[in-house]
Amino acid sequence: VSSLAILGGQPAFPDGVPFVRPPAPPLARVTELLEPSWERGVLTNGPLVRELEERCAQLLGVEHVVAVASCTTGLMLAFRALPPRGPVILPSFTFSASAHAVAWNGVEPRFAECDARSFQLDVDDAAGRSAGAGALFATHVFGAPCAVERVVALGEQLAVPVVFDAAHAFGATRDGVPVSRFGAASVFSLTPTKPLVAGEGGLVATRDDAVAHAVRIGRDYANPGDYDTQFVGLNGRMSELHAAVALASLELFEPHQAARDAIAARYLELLRGTPGIRTQAVAAGDRSTWKDFTFGVDAEAFGVDRDTLRAALSAEGVDTRCYFDPPAHRQRAYAHLQATTLPVTERVATEVLSLPIYPALALTTVERIAEVLNLVQRRAEEVRARVAA
Ligand SMILES: Cc1ncc(COP(=O)(O)O)c(C=O)c1O
């Protein structure tokens, strides 16, 4: 790459590089898995759902996995199962659904700061906001484990349950331990952008029998079987069709994760020396799923700000995302809450950019994307002048 499209050159990717290409399993395999249930007329909540739950419980190292319609549903049910007796402390730097799952239970989300390097919940800041808290809730941001043992220790100190939003984290480990072994429950997402896909779907993983039981009946209106509902549940079931997709996706999980690992390693290598690029810090010994490859842009050191870099990449045909901008506490849905000042989160949200990462993405494309990005840095002055004009 010797010229930049934003400066009038030819785009590096005339056909475009999509931000995500869902790693859908072969349709023939899905059909093959689905056929026995289909022929028997079992279309939802059947043996394929059971098999998915058992296989995932083994992989995730937990006693129970309850498959649900989505991660949001699973989180809503996990909080309904506890339920917290006061505000839930969670990071604002997470996806809206984390906060929504709390608010849907009629519980107040209380937002805390993130760490500027790891983008994970700042546990010290959470501790400072924890007076009267009913639960702690942390996200494994972009598939990298958060500081789980510190969050769990704070939960113990406050005598409140800990829940993890593991939407991005199927396969993530902390010092070799699956992240789902920590806390009262961890909830995974199976939407098309995630490492394991069902189309739509979620998995509630827990080691706690009571939580598992409540989520299991909760996904079925809280009907234990006699129509005498035990609490206000919902229809959060997973269909057999989605379970078939997830089981087929599970067969490809390891090679797909290896591909993500290789892409992340290449990006890291090629961006290591780039001034002003701060890739997400992942603790040594941790395994991230690299659901997203995200970095912060320091406008002064890099030469242009995040939005200008994004525009330059877009001109080359590279699709990117600004996860999570705006952060939850700045969204209209939470404007009614007492004003929260989270300066680190607000700065991080304006700096972050996520690059394409998915199994079908060729390493040569990754290299070219990094090359373009480095050229934007070297020609930052011209890019700035062009944007200003
Ligand atoms: C951190 C986080 N939590 C929760 C969700 C919601 O997952 P679902 O779409 O399966 O409900 C997402 C979705 O991307 C997410 O990124």
Side-chain angles (χ1 to χ4, degrees), residues 69-73 75 94-98 139-140 165 167-168 188-191 193-194 200-202 291 324:
S70 68
C71 174
T72 308
T73 311
L75 288 168
T94 181
F95 189 63
S96 55
S98 316
T139 300
H140 300 302
D165 182 331
H168 304 174
F188 297 84
S189 172
L190 308 181
T191 63
T193 60
K194 307 302 188 306
E200 294 287 352
K291 185 267 176 190
F324 303 104

Side-chain angles (χ1 to χ4, degrees), residues 17 49 52 56 67 81 83 108 117 125 127 174-175 183 233 235-236 245 326 373:
V17 181
V49 171
L52 179 68
C56 289
E108 179 199 331
R117 287 300 327 267
D125 183 79
R174 176 85 169 166
D175 282 325
N235 176 355
V245 177
L373 201 150

Side-chain angles (χ1 to χ4, degrees), residues 17 34 125 148 219 233 243 320 325:
V17 181
L34 180 61
D125 183 79
V148 278
R219 75 173 168 190
T320 58
D325 185 18

Side-chain angles (χ1 to χ4, degrees), residues 177-196:
V177 179
V179 290
S180 37
R181 285 186 62 80
F182 300 88
S186 299
V187 188
F188 297 84
S189 172
L190 308 181
T191 63
T193 60
K194 307 302 188 306
L196 182 70

